[in-house]
Amino acid sequence: MLKLLIITPDESGFSDFARELNETGRLEIRWAESGAQALAMLTRDPVDLAVADESLEDMTGLAFAEKLVSLNPMINCALVSSRPADEFHEISEGLGILAQLTPNPDAKQAIDLLRHLESIFSLSSL
């Protein structure tokens, strides 16, 4: 079972996303409200994927991703961003971001992200 940490000050914005992932039965989902709380959790117990909202209680999602790379570059990360894809790519380049999600990510994005993550893990086991 894969472990996922969703970092957001407002869980309701991820309700469809989390519900879809929960229904697959292939993920254990944890929650954090701030970047600092998430980083502390990840220090003790790393996850397979961290999904950060665009704005957290104490930092932006992008700032969280920068800190995550320093903490543990092996943790996959997806970020919510309302920026156009090319602009997002430019500002996040070098951080190894797995995916850009739209604000209030939906069930389809959840399944697409899960498939992408599972393909990475199946390739790493070869």
Side-chain angles (χ1 to χ4, degrees):
M1 182 172 283
L2 298 173
K3 294 188 284 187
L4 167 71
L5 177 63
I6 299 176
I7 308 102
T8 181
D10 180 17
E11 290 184 21
S12 67
F14 282 83
S15 59
D16 293 339
F17 181 85
R19 183 176 24 260
E20 186 67 29
L21 291 174
N22 241 350
E23 288 177 5
T24 69
R26 301 189 318 240
L27 284 165
E28 173 190 322
I29 300 175
R30 300 174 188 163
W31 297 86
E33 293 180 358
S34 70
Q37 179 187 18
L39 293 167
M41 290 170 72
L42 294 171
T43 299
R44 292 186 306 275
D45 188 17
V47 297
D48 300 300
L49 174 65
V51 177
D53 210 341
E54 192 162 22
S55 297
L56 307 174
E57 289 184 347
D58 54 353
M59 64 185 76
T60 65
L62 191 60
F64 169 78
E66 291 170 353
K67 292 177 186 289
L68 179 61
V69 167
S70 296
L71 175 71
N72 186 339
M74 299 306 293
I75 296 175
N76 294 289
C77 183
L79 294 178
V80 170
S81 178
S82 56
R83 295 176 186 259
D86 57 340
E87 185 180 329
F88 177 79
H89 176 75
E90 184 69 30
I91 65 167
S92 66
E93 193 168 7
L95 295 177
I97 304 300
L98 186 64
Q100 176 185 2
L101 303 173
T102 61
N104 302 309
D106 61 16
K108 181 184 180 326
Q109 286 182 307
I111 294 304
D112 290 346
L113 184 59
L114 179 58
R115 285 184 181 139
H116 191 73
L117 185 65
E118 288 178 332
S119 71
I120 289 170
F121 279 95
S122 70
L123 287 174
S124 68
S125 66
L126 294 177

